[in-house]
DNA sequence: GTTCCGCATGAATCGATAG
DNA sequence: ACTATCGATTCATGCGGAA
């Protein structure tokens, strides 16, 4: 099977307008947080964040299929000792746009940033907000079942690695079906808390989230041949995972630097496929 | 040391008015969720929840000391396939009342109820919203330090290995004081995610939360002799924990049934103290 | 080829210092 | 007074080199 990975350079508020209606099965993205990545993106002020994001979510609502899902990875910053409220306000405003706020998953980061302060502890979780266009959407729950029992708990850390290896062996060997059937016996449905470590130092560039994160949602909300969109592509994690999992994907990135890097890494893969 | 446990029967909106200003060090409570406990506070409709709660939080703001903390355990319900937004709205409204929204802790319930729905997984987390009156509040971080590694599990193997090594060297050298050094160094500050199993009901009534939950926040935000308040007492978990930890406490409950039960369980303790 | 130790490094936050 | 920059704090992870 051949999948298309469509990488585009530009501001997603403009580029999204060139996409047709109802073509995307899953949007998975992590937009720049407020005043974060100041040197790369503009560094949006907390007070302006909702206003800045709403034009994007309007377009996302348009390009998403009625059965599709939008997963938004975000976390509010601390400003003067207080949590900002722009994420809460964003949810309320997106509902006014027509989005349904179906669920809030928690990404529990075991290795969060260190530090000690007199008035708070380290922040070790982020939000994964699930939005939908309607009450009926595609969800393939069996794809993300996890091993159960104490055995699984003690090996919680290796979970994502195991999943990765399983995928690789599935693609490589062709015995995927048998393997997954056999594994299904001891497996149980997961909850809405995801336990994943951040990847600090994998390559020469650091991704905002580990591959396991988009991987999980791609399994859950898409099938082979479906189309995935990341309007804030960054280092392209979502798109690389999509390609590996045989999903078409679209990635939009405003910075030429990131765009070129992702472009360069995608080419070799294509070459291998054509050989 | 003798602590006072003050249990009152009535609607907290009325009873709270009888308390003086600035007398409470910590408020820890889990209010009735919407359409929960229908016969008590009337089963508040999601649309009316904020409106219903705001008079309570006004009084709470008044009775709390300037250095005190309010921890609100809450989780929004699913209504017609969508998460309700009353918690988000409540945070925004409480800020208008003068509360600071300092932090949001996550209670990660590892053994939540089994279950499966076509469009969502089990809900295994709840919010623990921290509100304060000012930027300076009491926090005793050392009281809740945890063993190095994960909250409870996963690192056990490595810890025990280290433990063995330390034990051997300790026996060999005879330097006992190294132990305390090592203990201090191997205890780290926790994060804002609390991993606690729900309690499987050791009595004839089920508590909304396990004792470990108020215990953690009592350690963190109060000292011996301080005063704790739970305006929605229920089965009295907060107050029992407070008494055990030598904190004064006030509990308010609208249902005579719960009130009498807690009252009955508190009496024997007093008797023991007087003997 | 395993296992183990040492080291760099994060979507952080606070408080002090500087313009 | 108000904003901008910088140093200090701190721990899970994965990598490279060593035993």
């Amino acid at each position: 099977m051949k999948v298309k990975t469509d990488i585009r350079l530009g501001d997603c508020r403009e580029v999204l307008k060139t996409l047709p209606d109802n073509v995307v099965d899953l949007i998975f993205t992590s937009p720049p947080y407020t005043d974060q990545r100041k040197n790369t993106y503009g560094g949006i002020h907390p007070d302006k964040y909702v206003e800045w994001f709403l034009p994007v979510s309007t377009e996302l609502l348009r390009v998403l299929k009625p059965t599709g899902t939008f997963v938004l990875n975000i976390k509010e910053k601390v400003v003067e000792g207080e949590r900002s409220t722009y994420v809460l306000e964003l949810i309320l405003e997106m509902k006014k746009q027509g989005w349904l706020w179906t669920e809030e998953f928690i990404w529990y980061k075991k290795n969060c940033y260190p530090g000690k302060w007199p008035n708070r502890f380290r922040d070790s979780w982020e939000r994964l907000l699930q939005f939908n266009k309607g009450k009926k959407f595609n969800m393939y729950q069996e794809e993300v079942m996890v091993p159960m029992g104490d055995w699984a708990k003690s090996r919680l850390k290796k979970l994502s690695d195991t999943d990765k290896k399983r995928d690789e062996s599935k693609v490589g060997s062709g015995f995927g079906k048998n393997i997954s059937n056999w594994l299904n016996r001891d497996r149980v449905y997961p909850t809405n808390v995801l336990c994943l470590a951040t990847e600090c130092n994998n390559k020469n560039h650091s991704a905002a989230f580990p591959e396991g994160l988009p991987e999980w949602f791609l399994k859950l909300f898409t099938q082979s041949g479906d189309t995935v969109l990341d309007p804030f592509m960054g280092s392209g994690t979502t798109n690389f995972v999509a390609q590996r999992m045989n999903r078409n994907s679209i990635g939009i990135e405003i910075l030429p630097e990131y765009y070129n890097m992702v472009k360069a890494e995608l080419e070799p893969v294509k070459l291998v496929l054509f050989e």
Side-chain angles (χ1 to χ4, degrees), chain A:
Chain A
M1 191 190 301
K2 198 171 141 203
V3 296
K4 191 177 166 193
T5 305
D6 183 6
I7 305 297
R8 307 205 188 174
L9 176 66
D11 187 327
C12 68
R13 280 169 296 189
E14 300 305 319
V15 177
L16 281 170
K17 287 176 184 166
T18 67
L19 298 180
D21 296 359
N22 307 318
V23 290
V24 172
D25 294 281
L26 172 67
I27 302 164
F28 183 90
T29 198
S30 197
Y33 298 179
T34 57
D35 291 336
Q36 227 66 48
R37 294 179 165 185
K38 240 180 204 162
N39 302 327
T40 56
Y41 298 89
I44 307 101
H45 190 275
D47 295 343
K48 303 285 181 187
Y49 198 84
V50 175
E51 184 186 322
W52 169 80
F53 194 83
L54 287 177
V56 180
S57 54
T58 301
E59 288 301 309
L60 296 179
L61 185 62
R62 185 182 61 76
V63 302
L64 190 68
K65 288 183 188 172
T67 54
T69 295
F70 173 24
V71 175
L72 179 62
N73 171 219
I74 198 165
K75 177 74 192 228
E76 56 270 49
K77 208 184 134 151
V78 172
V79 177
E80 293 175 27
E82 239 191 320
R83 285 278 165 205
S84 285
T85 55
Y86 53 86
V87 176
L88 314 184
E89 288 156 23
L90 181 60
I91 294 171
L92 296 174
E93 289 301 320
M94 282 179 62
K95 276 177 64 81
K96 287 180 191 166
Q97 289 186 329
W99 287 102
L100 300 183
W101 181 37
T102 308
E103 180 60 305
E104 179 170 351
F105 292 85
I106 296 294
W107 173 22
Y108 174 23
K109 299 183 286 187
K110 278 175 294 183
N111 61 335
C112 55
Y113 206 92
K116 180 189 180 302
W117 309 276
N119 58 346
R120 65 179 62 248
F121 291 132
R122 292 173 299 148
D123 189 6
S124 69
W125 64 278
E126 292 191 16
R127 304 177 194 278
L128 288 159
L129 304 169
Q130 177 192 342
F131 295 96
N132 292 94
K133 276 176 100 158
K135 286 174 193 169
K136 288 284 180 186
F137 51 87
N138 295 328
M139 195 179 194
Y140 312 99
Q141 301 189 340
E142 297 73 26
E143 300 300 319
V144 292
M145 292 179 84
V146 292
M148 70 180 256
D150 290 337
W151 177 81
K153 276 182 192 167
S154 66
R155 300 187 45 163
L156 201 59
K157 195 168 62 177
K158 297 204 170 182
L159 210 64
S160 59
D161 282 348
T162 311
D163 278 351
K164 278 175 197 168
K165 278 176 194 165
R166 191 173 303 132
D167 266 350
E168 283 161 16
S169 67
K170 194 194 293 181
V171 172
S173 68
F175 292 121
K177 202 172 182 180
N178 287 337
I179 293 169
S180 59
N181 270 343
W182 180 72
L183 284 170
N184 269 341
R185 294 189 185 189
D186 291 0
R187 299 174 98 196
V188 64
Y189 292 103
T191 72
N192 54 2
V193 175
L194 278 73
C195 227
L196 281 179
T198 55
E199 287 169 4
C200 306
N201 201 11
N202 253 9
K203 304 167 188 175
N204 43 5
H205 64 276
S206 63
F209 44 78
E211 293 199 350
L213 212 54
E215 183 179 328
W216 197 83
F217 287 101
L218 276 150
K219 281 182 188 168
L220 182 58
F221 291 120
T222 69
Q223 294 180 308
S224 284
D226 281 358
T227 298
V228 178
L229 165 66
D230 186 346
F232 301 98
M233 182 177 70
S235 55
T237 310
T238 303
N239 302 92
F240 287 119
V241 171
Q243 193 175 66
R244 175 164 59 78
M245 291 172 67
N246 278 312
R247 269 75 167 169
N248 299 297
S249 77
I250 305 165
I252 306 170
E253 174 57 40
I254 197 168
L255 278 183
E257 183 185 331
Y258 277 96
Y259 170 81
N260 290 327
M261 188 166 57
V262 174
K263 200 85 181 167
E265 285 197 47
L266 282 172
E267 288 304 326
V269 182
K270 278 186 187 165
L271 288 175
V272 170
L273 288 174
F274 283 124
E275 266 170 11

